[in-house]
């Protein structure tokens, strides 16, 4: 199989070492990091998710697939870094309370960093007061929230309310994303921006500060 297929297979099987090796091989063959991420890795995660939904895979498989993708992403991260010498803006990013998914959020953080943003990645399962505190202390221009569950995306609204209550709403732009989130939902909860992937997130962030 080609290195590209090998990346897909390694994620499906949850084999971190194999995934790293296949990624190394694909890079050596001249594959672009973005193509590896979008073409193989995210596609493989989609397949794992589908199998989970169909009752053919279980939580351990999700976990192992996540670990495999993360391990290989470490290899690609430095290559996502651009050559921006000036800071475009400061971003606080986190996955909302109750939600432990962080691969997409970390990808968005890396892409923003690579494009010249300074990023404070405050992790997963983040409660509203922690978002508020981070926005305040980091003097963030943009707050990015991620949610992968339909049950946790609604918490984004609570965070926006907490930002308002802290008197920070006119100081920070708010962006939301994650698989179940949509443009319509973003507008409904009063966010300023939405994107369904990491590349687009960078574009939206630049527009919001432009
Ligand atoms: Co979970 N999980 N999971 N999971 N998991 C999903 C999300 C699910 C869709 C699978 C399925 O059923 N098909 C489903 C959610 C159903 C729903 O609510 N609609 C699901 C479920 C049900 C669960 C549990 C409840 C399972 C259980 O325990 N019974 C549980 C919940 C735990 C919790 O959070 N409290 C759970 C647990 C897990 C693991 C921890 C085992 C693991 C996560 C490991 C980790 O992140 N470290 C996991 C995984 C791996 C997945 C799938 C398979 C893959 C997620 C992923 O990393 N995708 C996922 C199925 C799927 O997504 N197809 C699934 C790759 C990643 C690059 O994409 O995160 O979408 P994504 O990010 C994209 C965009 O969304 C966007 O840009 C990224 C790059 O393009 N984006 C943003 C993301 N955040 C953004 C923020 C922005 C902008 C853009 O800010 C402005």
């Amino acid at each position: 199989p080609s290195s590209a297929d090998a990346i897909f297979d390694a994620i499906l099987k949850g084999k971190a070492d194999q995934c790293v090796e296949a990624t190394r091989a694909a890079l050596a063959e001249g594959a672009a990091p973005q193509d590896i991420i979008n073409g193989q890795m995210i596609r493989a995660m989609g397949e794992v998710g589908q199998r989970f939904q169909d009752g053919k895979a279980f939580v351990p498989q999700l976990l192992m697939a996540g670990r495999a993708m993360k391990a290989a992403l470490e290899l690609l991260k430095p290559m996502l870094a651009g050559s921006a010498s000036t800071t475009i803006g400061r971003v606080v990013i986190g996955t909302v309370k109750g939600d432990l998914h962080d691969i997409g959020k970390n990808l968005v953080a890396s892409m923003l960093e690579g494009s010249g943003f300074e990023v404070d990645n405050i992790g997963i399962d983040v409660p509203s007061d922690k978002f508020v505190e981070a926005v305040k202390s980091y003097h963030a221009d943009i707050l990015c929230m991620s949610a992968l569950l339909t049950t946790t995306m609604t918490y984004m609204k609570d965070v926006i309310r907490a930002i308002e209550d802290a008197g920070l709403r006119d100081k920070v732009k708010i962006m939301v994303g994650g698989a179940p989130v949509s443009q319509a939902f973003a507008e409904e909860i009063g966010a300023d921006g939405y994107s369904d992937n990491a590349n687009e997130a960078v574009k939206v962030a630049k527009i919001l500060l432009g």
Side-chain angles (χ1 to χ4, degrees):
S2 71
S3 311
D5 294 336
I7 295 169
F8 186 87
D9 289 347
I11 291 179
L12 272 193
K13 294 191 183 117
K15 304 266 189 205
D17 290 351
Q18 276 180 26
C19 193
V20 170
E21 273 325 300
T23 302
R24 234 190 273 282
L27 288 171
E29 286 163 15
Q34 278 301 338
D35 294 341
I36 295 176
I37 293 171
N38 296 320
Q40 310 307 323
M41 296 181 161
I42 293 181
R43 208 161 55 79
M45 294 304 264
E47 175 62 26
V48 175
Q50 189 58 51
R51 289 186 187 184
F52 175 74
Q53 215 167 301
D54 297 341
K56 292 178 191 145
F58 303 92
V59 174
Q61 274 88 38
L62 295 186
L63 204 57
M64 303 270 285
R67 278 193 198 138
M69 173 162 174
K70 270 188 165 178
L73 262 186
E74 283 305 312
L75 206 64
L76 303 180
K77 245 194 219 163
M79 298 170 204
L80 300 178
S83 53
S85 52
T86 52
T87 302
I88 307 177
R90 297 166 73 80
V91 177
V92 163
I93 185 168
T95 302
V96 299
K97 188 171 138 184
D99 201 317
L100 309 176
H101 296 86
D102 69 351
I103 298 171
K105 183 258 301 166
N106 290 345
L107 205 52
V108 173
S110 296
M111 292 290 300
L112 285 168
E113 258 168 5
S115 310
F117 287 88
E118 280 182 65
V119 179
D120 186 10
N121 186 343
I122 60 174
I124 53 175
D125 194 15
V126 179
S128 57
D129 58 339
K130 202 172 155 197
F131 274 115
V132 169
E133 196 41 51
V135 165
K136 221 187 277 174
S137 61
Y138 198 63
H139 302 287
D141 303 300
I142 302 180
L143 167 61
C144 285
M145 285 184 272
S146 180
L148 267 282
L149 302 171
T150 45
T151 49
T152 56
M153 62 191 267
T154 49
Y155 189 75
M156 291 172 160
K157 194 172 177 177
D158 297 38
V159 177
I160 294 180
R161 199 168 303 131
I163 293 282
E164 285 166 2
D165 291 347
L168 295 167
R169 189 62 187 95
D170 58 342
K171 296 190 176 65
V172 67
K173 299 287 184 192
I174 299 179
M175 283 174 63
V176 293
V181 179
S182 65
Q183 179 69 45
F185 177 76
E187 284 168 19
E188 184 190 316
I189 64 171
D192 302 303
Y194 157 78
S195 94
D196 68 356
N197 66 72
N199 295 325
E200 197 63 28
V202 173
K203 283 190 205 156
V204 174
K206 284 181 177 167
I207 291 169
L208 286 179
L209 296 188

